[in-house]
Amino acid sequence: MSIDRFGYQQQLRRELRIRDLIAYGLVFMVVIAPFGIFGSVFQASGGMVALAYVVGAAAMILTASSYGVMVKKYPVAGSVYGYAGRAIAPAVGFLTGWAILLDYVCIPLLLSLVAGAAMNSIVTSVPVWAWVIIFVLVNTVTNVLGIKTTKLLNWLFLAAELVILVIFLIFGLKAIADGKGHGFSLDPFYNGSTSFTWTLVLSGVSIGMLSYLGFDALGLLAEDAADGARTIRRAMYLSLIVVAALFVAQTYVAALLVPDPDGLIANGDPSGSAFYDAAEVAGGAWLAKLTALATALAWGIANNMVAQVATSRLLMAMSRDGQLPKFLSRVSLTRSVPTNAILTTAAISLGIGLWMASRDDGITLMSAMVNFGAMIAFIVLHVCVMWEWFKNGRQGSPLSNLIVPVLGAVVLIAVIWNGNLLAQTVGLIWLAVGAVVLVVLLATGRKPTLPEVPGDDEPLTSPRTVENV
């Protein structure tokens, strides 16, 4: 379906095929993402870290189903923001876009912070704030060069991450077979020594869910995909299935190698070294350093690079609809990328990132903001699917248009309810600010609007133009 139907001009190059989009999803989710947050998930889930990732995968697959329904109907950049605005009302779309901005704008700076902390642990002479500057500049230059450059680097980073993951799994499984660690067991799925409750598991899911964030960003690349909505839907499912299997495998092996699991549950992982400690048991100090370095580069460059791409597309989509400053919708004629949106994302990451680098709770605060924004947006996504189904006379399968969205929304609400109090507080404040902005827009006669979508027999609307640079 052409985006001319929605009142837009096709300005981005449709360069990305199914394999490229799967690579984007895998890199954005980071196939070795559990390396950096393993200890936190282990503690929150009472040692049942693998089960937490299984439950998280189930919730995200339900969410991917709803994304598939909506991206087929509205194959334009903007993702949940555009779906809510068209399925329910433009004002709801604005608030949803505002909520997901909390996720996307904070992700690049969170990634730079985590990577900077990891690199500082390896090269102690370079402070965290300096690493933040380096990571932001590298990714900004790469993305301004165009989507082809980003696509090539995606494949290189993905290959490197997979090689390191395979090395860890081989050494880890061999170490367990040789009698190291705690031997093969199902404790990472069901820990008999812990009082099992779903509240405990969902607490782990609320943290581990951070690893899955990124598959949804594929929806923001609908105007970059060579085959549009069909390619996006397939890429979402395939990337989620692959990454879930990898997450469960690596956390299962690491959980069986943790030197002091009871101490980790009781005291947490303040240094963030739990996974690297398990890697050291598996292969020695060299493997611990290798996994730490891989985490820094994966979070700081590979994931950060695609996060900046997705964030810039969201800013561009809201800008061309008049809901953010117009300059954010300008697209480079030579590179075919939203240059101003990319530079704005970089400026925010640099400014807030340097501030957060000076705080002891910077990473915790950023993680809380990212998770809350994403969960709220996903819940609205499920509501959009159900709303459209009832609005259109219940056309289509009740399984994908009612049952799956209800299940998905219930799981996500449970995750938020059992999540971190800081996430709930910061998220509600952010939503309140968004509501105030919406009231100001309405009071000043700038009511949020979206181009009308004509019926099958109606003429197309004039494409909504954006500025080129």
Side-chain angles (χ1 to χ4, degrees):
M1 184 185 297
S2 171
I3 67 170
D4 289 348
R5 189 172 190 78
F6 300 91
Y8 301 121
Q9 292 179 336
Q10 178 66 48
Q11 292 186 299
L12 304 180
R13 294 173 186 166
R14 292 191 177 277
E15 297 274 1
L16 304 180
R17 301 190 179 278
I18 182 72
R19 60 180 181 272
D20 302 313
L21 289 167
I22 292 174
Y24 257 87
L26 295 179
V27 171
F28 205 144
M29 287 183 279
V30 185
V31 295
I32 57 173
F35 284 17
I37 60 174
F38 170 78
S40 298
V41 181
F42 189 98
Q43 181 196 32
S45 63
M48 294 175 285
V49 58
L51 177 60
Y53 274 100
V54 170
V55 175
M60 291 299 94
I61 288 174
L62 292 173
T63 302
S65 174
S66 289
Y67 264 110
V69 172
M70 296 309 293
V71 76
K72 182 179 180 180
K73 294 180 179 179
Y74 306 112
V76 294
S79 190
V80 185
Y81 148 73
Y83 308 153
R86 291 180 172 85
I88 304 176
V92 177
F94 172 82
L95 287 177
T96 305
W98 185 269
I100 205 169
L101 271 177
L102 185 66
D103 172 9
Y104 281 108
V105 171
C106 290
I107 278 181
L109 66 93
L110 169 63
L111 297 171
S112 296
L113 274 176
V114 172
M119 287 302 297
N120 176 252
S121 70
I122 299 172
V123 186
T124 56
S125 60
V126 180
V128 173
W129 63 264
W131 286 114
V132 168
I133 293 175
I134 292 171
F135 287 128
V136 170
L137 290 180
V138 168
N139 287 293
T140 301
V141 171
T142 301
N143 283 324
V144 168
L145 288 176
I147 199 72
K148 282 188 175 181
T149 303
T150 308
K151 180 174 69 175
L152 174 61
L153 289 176
N154 270 349
W155 281 104
L156 294 176
F157 274 110
L158 178 59
E161 290 175 29
L162 288 172
V163 168
I164 292 170
L165 177 56
V166 169
I167 291 173
F168 168 76
L169 290 175
I170 290 174
F171 277 87
L173 290 171
K174 184 178 183 301
I176 297 171
D178 290 342
K180 296 181 180 179
H182 316 291
F184 290 103
S185 73
L186 293 178
D187 284 353
F189 292 99
Y190 181 81
N191 190 340
S193 63
T194 302
S195 298
F196 178 88
T197 64
W198 280 109
T199 297
L200 188 67
V201 174
L202 289 173
S203 294
V205 174
S206 69
I207 300 173
M209 195 75 80
L210 181 65
S211 303
Y212 287 108
L213 300 185
F215 84 91
D216 53 299
L218 293 177
L220 292 168
L221 299 177
E223 294 176 34
D224 296 274
D227 195 21
R230 180 173 175 270
T231 305
I232 294 292
R233 293 199 308 273
R234 291 175 59 199
M236 280 186 176
Y237 283 119
L238 291 174
S239 60
L240 264 176
I241 291 170
V242 171
V243 84
L246 296 176
F247 286 171
V248 172
Q250 63 194 271
T251 54
Y252 172 76
V253 172
L256 298 178
L257 292 169
V258 170
D260 182 15
D262 292 336
L264 182 57
I265 293 174
N267 305 317
D269 183 30
S271 65
S273 64
F275 194 95
Y276 315 133
D277 294 339
E280 187 166 1
V281 173
W286 69 271
L287 187 55
K289 291 182 179 180
L290 179 64
T291 51
L293 180 61
T295 300
L297 296 179
W299 285 61
I301 296 182
N303 194 2
N304 208 335
M305 180 170 57
V306 293
Q308 197 180 71
V309 168
T311 303
S312 66
R313 268 54 176 183
L314 177 59
L315 294 176
M316 180 194 78
M318 294 185 72
S319 170
R320 70 184 179 187
D321 290 331
Q323 299 182 21
L324 287 178
K326 196 66 177 177
F327 80 95
L328 293 172
S329 63
R330 294 174 184 168
V331 175
S332 168
L333 287 174
T334 56
R335 301 295 181 183
S336 189
V337 294
T339 307
N340 287 351
I342 291 173
L343 294 176
T344 298
T345 302
I348 294 172
S349 296
L350 192 58
I352 303 180
L354 292 176
W355 173 42
M356 288 297 170
S358 65
R359 295 173 58 98
D360 293 335
D361 63 346
I363 292 177
T364 300
L365 181 57
M366 287 296 98
S367 299
M369 293 168 67
V370 167
N371 277 335
F372 189 93
M375 296 303 103
I376 291 295
F378 293 163
I379 292 171
V380 174
L381 168 70
H382 290 303
V383 172
C384 287
V385 174
M386 293 183 281
W387 191 285
E388 280 265 327
W389 191 63
F390 284 110
K391 184 175 68 175
N392 295 327
R394 303 183 183 181
Q395 296 178 1
S397 166
L399 176 62
S400 59
N401 290 278
L402 180 62
I403 297 174
V404 168
V406 168
L407 290 175
V410 167
V411 172
L412 292 172
I413 291 171
V415 171
I416 290 178
W417 186 264
N418 291 280
N420 187 284
L421 180 61
L422 179 61
Q424 299 166 352
T425 303
V426 174
L428 290 174
I429 292 174
W430 176 258
L431 290 178
V433 172
V436 171
V437 173
L438 178 59
V439 169
V440 171
L441 290 175
L442 295 174
T444 55
R446 291 180 291 169
K447 179 182 178 180
T449 60
L450 291 171
E452 293 292 332
V453 181
D456 292 337
D457 298 327
E458 297 178 58
L460 300 180
T461 57
S462 299
R464 182 170 290 196
T465 58
V466 297
E467 296 182 62
N468 296 306
V469 293

